[in-house]
């Protein structure tokens, strides 16, 4: 498993890891591969499949332009994006990687092929650079979920990097990881820590995890404080701030129910995904569309579970969650365009459930059981965003997914870890279910809620 915790948890920008973060990374990588750019005469970006069908709602067009300008998801300033894009639009040109300028116009240099998909993945894009002598360089990239990209022809599972140190506990399945644990006597977070420390120091690992958590925590807080209308045209109201203020008041509404802790967890998750929908700073966990679940359950752990050592618990949570995400990406997918929302919200739920069990001192078998429950009860979930926006049903799904993660963790902790369906089996089931799912239910906005609601609204008019 040649993945790191920092591959699964990447600081980026909303609203989508596969449609925003990935294309931004791919556009920049293309130009870096083409350097030097002093004789560039023009550049063209073509989007295919899901990237074309939901690209505008997922800000793929903006992401590509920013990537060509040299911006990165982790460093771009969300509040400055609109001004940057407006300036480029007004000038009719782009400064490639912040330097040499070329003419650039949407519709001419940025093209959406909505009726065509490329061979290797639904999220395909082609970049072409033209030089002053008339020669061209063209490359195809795929955004495969969670901000990961792959150039055309690259193996879907890359060969092991022989320049990197061998991992003490290599694994490609949960069965292998459990076997390592049984023979070594170590917990899953301890083994993941050992693997990470084969590549970087323990202090560096802790600092990186802590930074990820701080960005997640700040995202929750900003979402709980920010009202307003989300961009995109659906006029969706941000609800987390109002509901949070209501939850913190001393006056309970008439229909108050005795589940404050879980209600707050759902608000944490919704706050993050409202930030994501607004193009704010978020962490892929493992994707942007499911970015609210893990932060919400982490905050629940830190504040409601009363841990004696929350810092260690949060780090164990993140390492364990990453292990589950690695397995899902390795053996199925975390791309909504490939397997539907079961690969996003379902995987995030499993990651959060496993992480919570680990933080609370559960056994390896209980961790595996919690992750299995988390995915099993999201099997078959479609990705059908209304209007191509990461808003409905995505924001509420994160709130529900966070609550289900806590329920899964509770069920696992109350058992001894033995259960009927293994995590490896349910991941394979998710892969097969995604393969069988019709394309219109996989982040195209051509089926499900995306067309039903629009049809109803048109009928009402």
């Amino acid at each position: 498993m040649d993945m790191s915790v920092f591959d699964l948890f990447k600081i980026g920008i909303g609203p989508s890891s596969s449609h925003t973060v990935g294309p931004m990374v791919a556009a920049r990588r293309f130009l870096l591969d083409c350097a030097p750019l002093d004789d560039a005469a023009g550049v063209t970006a073509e989007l295919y499949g899901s990237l074309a069908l939901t690209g505008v709602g997922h800000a793929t067009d903006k992401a590509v332009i920013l990537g060509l300008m040299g911006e990165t998801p982790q460093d771009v300033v969300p509040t400055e994006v609109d001004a940057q894009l407006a300036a480029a639009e007004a000038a009719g040109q782009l400064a490639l990687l912040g330097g040499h300028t070329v003419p650039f116009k949407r519709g001419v240099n940025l093209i959406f092929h909505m009726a065509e998909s490329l061979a290797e993945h639904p999220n395909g894009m082609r970049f072409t650079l033209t030089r002053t002598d008339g020669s061209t360089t063209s490359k195809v990239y795929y955004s495969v979920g969670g901000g990961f990209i792959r150039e055309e022809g690259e193996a879907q599972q890359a060969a092991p990097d022989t320049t990197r140190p061998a991992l003490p506990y290599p694994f490609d399945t949960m069965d292998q990881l459990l076997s390592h644990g049984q023979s070594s006597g170590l917990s899953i977070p301890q083994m993941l820590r050992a693997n990470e420390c084969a590549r970087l120091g323990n202090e560096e690992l802790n600092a990186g995890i802590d930074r990820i958590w701080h960005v997640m925590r700040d995202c929750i807080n900003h979402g709980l404080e920010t009202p307003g209308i989300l961009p995109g045209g659906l006029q969706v109201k941000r609800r987390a701030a109002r509901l949070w203020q209501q939850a913190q008041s001393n006056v309970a509404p008439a229909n108050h129910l005795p589940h404050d802790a879980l209600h707050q967890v759902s608000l944490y998750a919704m706050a993050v995904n409202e930030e994501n929908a607004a193009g704010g700073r978020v962490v892929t966990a493992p994707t942007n569309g499911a970015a609210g679940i893990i932060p919400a359950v982490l905050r629940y752990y830190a504040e409601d579970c009363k841990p004696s050592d929350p810092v260690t618990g949060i780090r164990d949570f993140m390492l364990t969650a990453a292990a589950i995400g690695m397995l899902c990406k390795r053996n199925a997918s975390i791309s909504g365009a490939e397997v539907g929302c079961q690969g996003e919200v379902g995987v995030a739920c499993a990651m959060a459930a496993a992480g919570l069990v680990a933080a609370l001192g559960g056994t390896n078998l209980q961790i595996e059981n919690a992750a299995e429950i988390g995915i099993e009860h999201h099997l078959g979930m479609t990705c059908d965003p209304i209007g191509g926006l990461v808003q409905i049903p995505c924001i509420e799904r994160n709130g529900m997914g966070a609550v289900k993660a806590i329920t899964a963790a509770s069920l696992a902790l109350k058992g001894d870890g033995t259960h009927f369906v293994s995590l490896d089996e349910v991941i394979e089931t998710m892969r097969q279910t995604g393969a069988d799912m019709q394309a219109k239910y996989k982040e195209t906005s051509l089926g499900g809620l995306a067309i039903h609601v629009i049809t109803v609204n048109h009928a009402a008019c």
Side-chain angles (χ1 to χ4, degrees):
M1 184 74 70
D2 194 27
M3 267 185 272
S4 165
V5 61
F6 302 116
D7 292 327
L8 271 296
F9 298 114
K10 295 189 285 287
I11 297 170
I13 187 174
S16 173
S17 51
S18 61
H19 287 57
T20 312
V21 175
M24 191 186 301
V25 172
R28 183 173 182 270
R29 174 175 158 181
F30 170 70
L31 290 182
L32 288 172
D33 289 346
C34 290
L37 303 171
D38 294 344
D39 62 344
V43 65
T44 300
E46 299 172 83
L47 305 175
Y48 297 83
S50 177
L51 287 184
L53 288 164
T54 61
V56 174
H58 286 57
T60 308
D61 50 348
K62 297 179 180 180
V64 166
I65 294 170
L66 289 168
L68 293 173
M69 294 166 67
E71 293 285 2
T72 62
Q74 65 271 24
D75 293 323
V76 68
V77 180
T79 55
E80 297 177 2
V81 164
D82 288 343
Q84 287 178 272
L85 295 172
E89 186 87 19
Q93 61 184 22
L94 289 185
L96 301 183
L97 299 182
H100 181 74
T101 59
V102 297
F104 193 90
K105 184 178 180 180
R106 293 171 185 262
V108 175
N109 302 99
L110 181 59
I111 304 167
F112 291 77
H113 296 285
M114 295 188 180
E116 185 179 353
S117 291
L118 299 181
E120 295 182 14
H121 194 278
N123 290 335
M125 62 200 112
R126 177 182 285 110
F127 297 98
T128 302
L129 182 77
T130 303
R131 300 188 185 272
T132 52
D133 64 2
S135 63
T136 62
T137 301
S138 184
K139 290 189 177 184
V140 169
Y141 298 88
Y142 296 94
S143 182
V144 296
F148 291 87
I149 64 167
R150 185 177 73 237
E151 188 175 342
E152 184 177 46
E154 287 181 354
Q156 297 211 14
Q157 300 299 334
D161 186 350
T162 56
T163 66
R164 301 178 74 172
L167 302 182
Y169 303 103
F171 66 98
D172 287 322
T173 66
M174 176 54 81
D175 186 60
Q176 292 173 354
L177 192 56
L178 291 175
S179 295
H180 283 313
Q182 190 171 23
S183 59
S184 68
L186 297 178
S187 68
I188 287 175
Q190 287 173 330
M191 289 185 286
L192 264 289
R193 177 171 290 275
N195 282 354
E196 294 290 334
C197 287
R199 301 161 171 164
L200 70 168
N202 196 55
E203 290 186 5
E204 185 181 357
L205 173 62
N206 286 339
I209 293 174
D210 293 348
R211 180 171 181 245
I212 293 293
W213 165 233
H214 292 159
V215 174
M216 288 179 168
R217 183 188 61 194
D218 291 347
C219 185
I220 293 174
N221 291 337
H222 195 268
L224 292 177
E225 296 169 355
T226 308
I229 304 294
L230 293 173
L234 291 181
Q235 298 299 303
V236 174
K237 293 181 180 179
R238 296 177 67 137
R239 289 178 289 168
R242 176 180 59 81
L243 293 173
W244 177 250
Q245 185 177 33
Q246 184 182 85
Q248 300 309 298
S249 69
N250 294 324
V251 180
N255 59 352
H256 177 70
L257 296 174
H259 54 231
D260 284 350
L262 291 185
H263 174 59
Q264 291 185 6
V265 167
S266 68
L267 294 186
Y268 302 154
M270 290 173 63
V272 170
N273 279 82
E274 287 178 352
E275 284 293 291
N276 178 63
R281 174 73 67 222
V282 296
V283 176
T284 61
T287 68
N288 282 28
I293 294 171
I294 288 172
V297 179
L298 268 170
R299 180 160 169 172
Y300 167 80
Y301 163 74
E303 295 185 2
D304 292 288
C305 295
K306 305 293 190 284
S308 58
D309 185 2
V311 173
T312 298
I314 287 170
R315 292 169 180 167
D316 285 349
F317 185 120
M318 296 285 279
L319 289 165
T320 304
I324 304 305
M326 292 173 191
L327 289 169
C328 292
K329 175 167 172 49
R330 167 67 177 79
N331 298 315
S333 175
I334 57 172
S335 168
E338 194 168 21
V339 297
C341 202
Q342 59 178 352
E344 297 201 36
V345 166
V347 171
C349 178
M351 292 169 68
L356 181 57
V357 170
L360 293 173
T363 67
N364 289 348
L365 289 176
Q366 289 172 324
I367 291 169
E368 189 256 1
N369 188 193
E372 182 275 325
I373 295 171
I375 293 182
E376 183 177 3
H377 299 288
H378 286 90
L379 288 174
M381 180 176 278
T382 60
C383 182
D384 49 354
I386 295 176
L389 299 167
V390 193
Q391 297 179 15
I392 304 171
C394 320
I395 294 170
E396 287 181 355
R397 278 187 181 173
N398 275 258
M400 298 298 293
V403 172
K404 290 168 78 171
I406 295 171
T407 302
S410 177
L411 285 170
L413 285 168
K414 287 178 170 61
D416 61 5
T418 59
H419 54 108
F420 196 80
V421 180
S422 73
L423 178 61
D424 289 330
E425 289 169 335
V426 83
I427 290 174
E428 172 58 17
T429 302
M430 179 176 70
R431 186 194 67 79
Q432 293 183 12
T433 303
D436 291 340
M437 190 181 292
Q438 293 184 49
K440 67 181 181 179
Y441 297 118
K442 295 190 284 190
E443 209 166 358
T444 62
S445 291
L446 296 176
L449 283 175
I451 62 168
H452 175 74
V453 173
I454 291 175
T455 299
V456 171
N457 288 344
H458 284 172
C461 295

